[in-house]
Amino acid sequence: MGSATKASGSACHVPGAASTAFAQPVRKHQPMRQPLHAVGTPGPSGRPLLFEPITLRQLTIPNRIWLSPMCQYSAVDGAPNTWHLVHLGARAAGGCGLVMTEACAVVPEGRISPSDAGMWNDAQVEAWRPIADFIRSHGAVPSVQLAHAGRKASTFEPFVQGGRPLYPGKDAAAWQVVAPSAVPFADFQTPREMTEADIREVIDAFAAAAERSIKAGFQVVEIHMAHGYLLHQFLSPQANKRKDQYGGSLANRMRLPLAVAEAVRAVIPPELPLAVRISATDWAGPLDGPAWDVDQSVVLCGALRDLGCDLIDVSSGGQLPRALIPVGPGYQVPFSERIRREARVATGTVGLITTGKQAEKILQEGKADVVLIGREMLRDPNWPLRAAAELGYEGARYPPQYERGKFPIK
């Protein structure tokens, strides 16, 4: 799968108390539908599967090429601006079926950097609304990712002093970070261990941010449980050393993430989907000790499905600062395939997917239901239109202003 590469894993550089998340009966939902196609065949319309719509709950997304969330570090007081309108709007005009925002912090202290986007107040709702409207006007579905960075918060932007950590007492822009345990990430500041009151506040903050997201016009909410951020920190024994009901056993470590999912699902209209991004594995080595892995991810995803999660966005890494990750084309696809098969939930896959043919093959082989494109979409906002031409598909949606510049069909 390619050579091993060191990676920090930073991909984007209520009802009920949490303590009762397992005791309460969960609402069972229908398992994912069987694919509408046989593996190795085009979709029912004869077009490539990439360009087949997908329906989650009552929302139909026009194709299966989705913009992956990528932090822009360009917001002011958590509010997006014209940069975000152009960045996200260009990908909607460029043919994405779903356009997802960068990670939006649910509280100010949940930001990675002072320039992160947020969804913790109504001014941010008003700033996001025209962006969501523009995305929808070009036929794409607007989606938001909600996040809390936990112990990986309070850093410079990646393009300022290399994104180094900000330390209280040294840097004016710093703030105290929180985490499941007082265990720092690499040379970041030591976090304050969260109290049960802190945990309840986080659940409430995610739910409130989800409500604001719907008011802003977003149609899909994704909860960020990946890349070493707060909810992933609770899942992983690498970061979670607690001795109470939120630490130790797998059930205890899943307690807060599942409580957040339940709270968010409760405030989203029942006809709209909920997605969750996970890191399927910490990529721990034999000397790293207990960590998060794909076996535990399957269990988590089954529980998320039963709470009403409609799609798992499967990534990996971010918890261990010196993890050796075997990076290569489609290196995370096997995780998506296994979770889709064993947890019986729709999945999206992400990571070094660079061509239309590669993406189509992943769907044809039943390894994912959608593909999320990140860095390739930074290089080419029109990647979906280019992929359509590569696959010989003439029905891709072009803005009328751009029709005279269509990619030649191969």
Side-chain angles (χ1 to χ4, degrees):
M1 286 199 296
S3 58
T5 303
K6 283 188 177 181
S8 66
S10 180
C12 63
H13 266 356
V14 307
S19 61
T20 62
F22 279 83
Q24 295 172 344
V26 298
R27 297 179 299 279
K28 295 290 183 181
H29 292 258
Q30 293 296 319
M32 59 167 283
R33 295 178 179 177
Q34 289 292 328
L36 296 176
H37 63 282
V39 172
T41 66
S45 67
R47 58 191 158 197
L49 286 176
L50 279 175
F51 294 93
E52 286 289 345
I54 180 170
T55 298
L56 299 172
R57 294 189 177 246
Q58 297 177 38
L59 179 69
T60 297
I61 301 161
N63 68 47
R64 294 160 188 254
I65 303 171
W66 295 7
L67 177 68
S68 189
M70 290 176 287
C71 289
Q72 299 298 293
Y73 304 101
S74 300
V76 178
D77 295 327
N81 49 54
T82 52
W83 173 264
H84 300 83
L85 174 62
V86 172
H87 166 64
L88 298 171
R91 278 73 192 173
C96 285
L98 179 144
V99 173
M100 195 177 299
T101 70
E102 62 200 85
C104 291
V106 298
V107 289
E109 60 271 22
R111 294 171 295 171
I112 302 166
S113 82
S115 299
D116 280 25
M119 196 66 82
W120 67 79
N121 64 38
D122 291 341
Q124 292 155 0
V125 172
E126 295 307 311
W128 278 116
R129 184 174 285 122
I131 298 173
D133 288 346
F134 186 87
I135 291 168
R136 193 180 301 105
S137 75
H138 282 274
V141 168
S143 174
V144 65
Q145 186 188 68
L146 301 179
H148 190 305
R151 68 177 186 168
K152 294 178 78 173
S154 188
T155 75
F156 277 109
E157 301 77 7
F159 36 79
V160 178
Q161 297 192 35
R164 74 162 176 83
L166 292 165
Y167 301 100
K170 175 182 177 182
D171 300 297
W175 61 89
Q176 175 63 56
V177 303
V178 297
S181 303
V183 179
F185 176 80
D187 61 346
F188 288 37
Q189 61 172 279
T190 299
R192 177 177 64 80
E193 181 172 313
M194 294 172 68
T195 64
E196 291 200 13
D198 294 329
I199 289 170
R200 289 192 294 272
E201 288 174 4
V202 163
I203 298 168
D204 291 342
F206 270 94
E211 289 185 291
R212 292 190 186 98
S213 299
I214 299 300
K215 290 178 182 177
F218 291 103
Q219 295 175 286
V220 177
V221 173
E222 177 172 278
I223 302 170
H224 200 350
M225 295 189 185
H227 300 161
Y229 298 124
L230 183 66
L231 299 181
H232 183 192
Q233 290 162 25
F234 270 86
L235 291 170
S236 175
Q238 288 288 316
N240 186 346
K241 310 296 184 183
R242 300 177 74 98
K243 305 299 184 184
D244 63 2
Q245 62 186 335
Y246 296 99
S249 69
L250 175 58
N252 282 356
R253 286 182 281 115
M254 293 196 306
R255 192 178 302 277
L256 173 58
L258 292 181
V260 167
E262 185 174 19
V264 169
R265 179 70 266 175
V267 300
I268 298 174
E271 68 272 14
L272 295 181
L274 172 64
V276 173
R277 171 164 275 192
I278 69 161
S279 281
T281 177
D282 287 343
W283 295 105
L287 301 180
D288 290 320
W292 186 252
D293 59 25
V294 69
D295 290 341
Q296 296 170 90
S297 290
V298 169
V299 176
L300 171 68
C301 293
L304 288 168
R305 176 204 63 213
D306 288 346
L307 287 172
C309 174
D310 301 288
L311 183 135
I312 305 296
D313 174 2
V314 186
S315 188
S316 70
Q319 196 70 261
L320 298 173
R322 291 171 294 279
L324 292 176
I325 301 177
V327 174
Y331 69 104
Q332 297 175 141
V333 172
F335 302 135
S336 168
E337 179 183 21
R338 181 175 170 193
I339 288 167
R340 185 177 189 268
R341 181 180 67 250
E342 296 185 17
R344 301 292 299 158
V345 64
T347 62
T349 190
V350 64
L352 288 183
I353 299 169
T354 58
T355 70
K357 289 181 179 178
Q358 178 195 10
E360 177 71 7
K361 186 172 185 286
I362 291 167
L363 300 186
Q364 289 280 354
E365 294 177 348
K367 295 178 178 178
D369 296 275
V370 303
V371 294
L372 291 100
I373 309 296
R375 288 173 176 84
E376 277 302 306
M377 207 78 80
L378 291 182
R379 299 181 187 107
D380 183 2
N382 299 306
W383 189 92
L385 302 177
R386 185 185 295 276
E390 179 188 349
L391 294 168
Y393 176 54
E394 296 182 346
R397 181 188 75 247
Y398 278 78
Q401 300 93 328
Y402 287 3
E403 284 187 353
R404 64 183 182 271
K406 286 185 176 182
F407 289 105
I409 300 294
K410 295 183 179 179

